[in-house]
Structures are given as C-alpha cells and as structure tokens.
Amino acid sequence: MAKENSAFSAAPETPVREAKPPLCATPSKAPARGPGEPEKKKPVKKHQRQRYVEKDGKCNVQHGNVRETYRYLTDIFTTLVDLKWRFSLLVFILAYAITWLFFGLIWWFIAYCRGDLDHLEDKAWTPCVNNLNGFVSAFLFSIETETTIGYGYRVITDRCPEGIVLLLLQAILGSMVNAFMVGCMFVKISQPNKRAETLVFSSHAVVSLRDDRLCLMFRVGDLRNSHIVEASIRAKLIKSKQTLEGEFIPLNQTDINVGFETGDDRLFLVSPLIISHEINEHSPFWEVSKQELEKDEFEIVVILEGMVEATGMTCQARSSYLVDEVLWGHRFMSVLSLEDGFYEVDYNNFHQTFEVNTPSCSARELAEAAARRDAHLYWSIPSRLDEKVEDGTEKEAGGTERNGSLANAESESKV
C-alpha cells in the first residue's frame, strides 16, 4: 500500500500558502448571445506549421542538388555506417563475394598460363596449386585462403613463386577487408540511436506561474533502469525573422535558457523531471501574451544529450513543440508516489496536465504590474508614518501651549 504523502500529490486540496490575486486579468468566458444578436463567425482554422523536427526526433530536412557527391566517398566509413541496414548488408556481402571472385579468377588464370589445367592426369607434373582443376576449384581455394579455413585438400606448392606472392597479397588484403567491414558492422550495431527510443518527452509544453513568474515547462523521462550519464538539456526556438535591414531569415534559431547559468540544464535523470524556462527580459517570450501566443507561429526544439551507462557512447534524443502544443495556464500532474521503501513512477500521468489560475498577459506586463504594486506599497508606508509624526508634533505643540498659559496665569496671580 502506498503511503499518503502530500509532497507527491498531483493537486493538493488545501493550498500551502494563500495565493496572491492575479496582477493581470485572467480570460473569462464569453457572455451568452441574446436572441436578437447576430451569430458570430467562427474563427478560421490556422494553417498547420510544417515541423522542423518531428516528435520522434527525426529532422524534416532533405538535401537536394548536391553536386559534390565525391565528398561522401572521402569519408567512406561514415557513409557505410549511415546507410540503411538493407544497403549495409548488401555492401557487406558484395565486399566479400567480389574479393573471393577476384582472387579466384587470378588463381585460375595462373593455373591456365602455367598449363596446370592441361596436365591434370600427369602425376609427374608439379602444379602451382594441387587439386585445382577449374574455376570452381580456384574460387573455393580463394575462399579457403582468405578465410584461413585450410581444409588441406588444395595446397600451394613451392614451385610457383607467382602463387606465393598472390597468397601474401590475398592474406593482407583479406585482413584489411575483414577489419573494415567488421568494424562498420560493429559500429552500426552499437550505435545508441535506439537508446533514444526510451527517452521520452511530454506531448505538450505548459506555461504557468512558478514563484510568481511565468515559466515555460516540459517534462522528460527515462524508461530504462540504466541511467544516462552526464545528461544535459538544451532548447531552441525555431522562428522566421526579418532584420532591420529587411533581410528575411527563415527558421532562425534562438537559444532558450533552461538553466545554463545556474547548472539546472545538467540533469540527474533517475525519475521524470520538469524542465523550466523562466520568461524574463532575456527570453524570446518576454512580450508574448496568451492571445499573441495563439496567433504566433514557431517551433520549440528540445535536445537531450548524455552518455549511455552500459556502452559509454554519446546518445541524443530530440523532440519539438508547435504553438498548438503549448498549453497556457496548465501544470503537469505528479508522477511520483512514495511506496514501502522506494519511490514509484506512474507513467500514466506523464503526459497529463491540469488547469491552474494563470494571468493571460505577457511576462513583461506582469513584471510592470508587480513593479507598480511594489512602488505603491513603498510610497504608502512612509506617507502613513509621516502622518503619525505630524499628529505627534501637533499634540506636543498643543501641550506646550497649555503649559505656557497655565504658567502665565500663576505668575499673574502671584503678582
């Protein structure tokens, strides 16, 4: 049975502290339409923005008109590793088959030029390779030589110097082919691309208040028990812009601070974490309100990087959020619960959110309203103190006047 712990509850029934009244007006429901009023037109559905990065992390970019294709051959190892599996297996098979056929053809050609094929029944004749009687047997001998099988039926003799040289060349080149192809397959198999499949991002990002400041938040989690070492998170805003000189920059990339200065971008990803971006004067969302957010067009790309604990190789997981995937005035449900001796993560609530009271104005307007409120409190307190001081001085002045009149009256009576 799970222990009841208010620290892990999704939405507490009683607030921890009294909530402050919102500085900006929250959106209210539209009034009901009267019987004589005309019906309002429905808003036109906004055009769906083309994603720059898909939800599964694939970049939606294709390269066209690449004329310098020779550059792919200069880095043939990376080219082979980046190929799809069906093409990699085809190259792997062809590499061995071509080398076996090539050297088998040379072994057959040597036997043909020496006349070994014409003295197959001559016991006194010493051939270059014993029991080599055609191209098929030459091909089998090439396979045995390159793979170092050595059945012992076909063997090279010491009366064939050109065969000895060819044997050395095939042994060396065969070792190089083995090292190259096995290395490619090993790197391709050990690639940590599939490790990113168990790194999950929340389906939506949310905007709500944290410590009286608007924050953009999303959630990340790791489904495996083996952790990501040195995990770090980054975020980019993809949005077209136009400079003051009139230059149009499509898909301009702007950094979104998720804790680089404070070290919050370095994660200990044992349980799901909520990544927060504080919307301040350095944020690209500083002047964006809820209404402006719904009309804007942008994409937020989030990148999670780290080393796989089992292999030590670097892994990268990506995802993105469009405008309609950013929920204003929402907060993530809690996924942690305290069990008997351990914490349990409930991934059923990983993508779930709930509405909270959030101002609909921009962070700049919220900060200005807070500054006006603080300024009003700053000037109101000294004014009240001054009023109290003035009242005290008036009372003291009145008292001295009364004392003075009494003293004058006593002096007159004595005279």
Side-chain angles (χ1 to χ4, degrees), residues 4-143:
E4 294 183 358
N5 192 341
S6 60
F8 297 99
S9 60
E13 297 178 358
T14 57
V16 180
R17 60 183 179 87
E18 184 178 359
K20 296 182 180 179
L23 300 177
C24 300
T26 55
S28 58
K29 295 183 179 180
R33 182 173 59 88
E37 297 180 2
E39 184 179 357
K40 295 183 179 180
K41 295 182 179 180
K42 295 182 179 180
V44 181
K45 187 177 180 180
K46 188 169 60 174
H47 176 68
Q48 183 69 22
R49 176 188 171 93
Q50 179 64 51
R51 285 188 180 274
Y52 189 63
V53 176
E54 299 291 342
K55 296 294 286 185
D56 58 358
K58 295 181 180 178
C59 297
N60 196 13
V61 177
Q62 296 182 0
H63 300 282
N65 298 327
V66 180
R67 298 182 179 180
E68 299 177 351
T69 54
Y70 66 90
R71 295 182 180 272
Y72 294 103
L73 298 178
T74 56
D75 188 11
I76 188 64
F77 186 84
T78 305
T79 302
L80 293 176
V81 172
D82 290 339
L83 289 177
K84 295 182 179 179
W85 268 107
R86 54 179 177 269
F87 298 115
S88 296
L89 293 176
L90 179 62
V91 172
F92 185 83
I93 294 172
L94 288 178
Y96 283 103
I98 290 174
T99 54
W100 293 339
L101 287 171
F102 175 73
F103 283 102
L105 182 62
I106 296 178
W107 284 114
W108 175 85
F109 183 74
I110 291 175
Y112 177 79
C113 293
R114 283 174 51 88
D116 295 342
L117 301 179
D118 299 331
H119 300 81
L120 296 177
E121 303 296 335
D122 190 356
K123 300 298 182 181
W125 182 265
T126 303
C128 183
V129 178
N130 290 329
N131 300 315
L132 195 150
N133 52 15
F135 177 74
V136 176
S137 59
F139 176 68
L140 293 176
F141 179 72
S142 175
I143 296 176

Side-chain angles (χ1 to χ4, degrees), residues 201-388:
F201 297 86
S202 58
S203 58
H204 292 81
V206 298
V207 177
S208 61
L209 289 175
R210 264 195 176 184
D211 298 328
D212 294 334
R213 295 183 180 181
L214 282 177
C215 295
L216 172 70
M217 293 170 284
F218 57 93
R219 179 183 273 166
V220 296
D222 188 3
L223 301 180
R224 287 188 179 273
N225 293 327
S226 59
H227 309 308
I228 295 293
V229 183
E230 296 291 335
S232 62
I233 190 74
R234 293 183 291 135
K236 292 280 187 179
L237 175 65
I238 310 297
K239 182 180 179 181
S240 301
K241 64 172 292 186
Q242 189 172 5
T243 62
L244 298 176
E245 296 77 13
E247 179 187 2
F248 180 75
I249 305 176
L251 302 177
N252 182 61
Q253 300 184 12
T254 305
D255 279 331
I256 299 178
N257 188 6
V258 289
F260 177 77
E261 298 176 353
T262 59
D264 293 337
D265 61 330
R266 294 184 288 272
L267 310 178
F268 182 52
L269 198 59
V270 178
S271 61
L273 300 176
I274 297 177
I275 310 301
S276 176
H277 162 65
E278 181 182 337
I279 303 178
N280 52 24
E281 60 272 11
H282 303 292
S283 171
F285 305 104
W286 174 241
E287 299 181 353
V288 177
S289 63
K290 180 180 180 180
Q291 290 75 16
E292 293 175 351
L293 180 70
E294 295 173 353
K295 300 176 183 178
D296 206 347
E297 289 188 3
F298 59 82
E299 183 177 353
I300 301 174
V301 177
V302 292
I303 305 169
L304 176 62
E305 293 179 328
M307 291 188 300
V308 182
E309 187 179 29
T311 62
M313 302 185 70
T314 303
C315 172
Q316 184 181 93
R318 298 180 293 267
S319 186
S320 65
Y321 302 98
L322 296 179
V323 177
D324 54 355
E325 295 172 345
V326 179
L327 304 178
W328 190 288
H330 282 245
R331 190 178 296 165
F332 286 108
M333 298 282 290
S334 178
V335 296
L336 280 179
S337 61
L338 182 58
E339 300 290 336
D340 294 332
F342 62 92
Y343 296 100
E344 183 179 2
V345 178
D346 183 11
Y347 278 96
N348 289 329
N349 297 332
F350 184 82
H351 303 285
Q352 301 298 323
T353 62
F354 62 95
E355 294 186 10
V356 292
N357 189 18
T358 304
S360 60
C361 61
S362 64
R364 179 178 180 177
E365 296 172 349
L366 188 66
E368 291 175 353
R372 289 193 298 267
R373 183 190 64 187
D374 295 341
H376 176 71
L377 293 175
Y378 176 78
W379 289 108
S380 62
I381 293 175
S383 62
R384 293 175 182 175
L385 294 176
D386 293 339
E387 292 176 356
K388 293 180 179 180

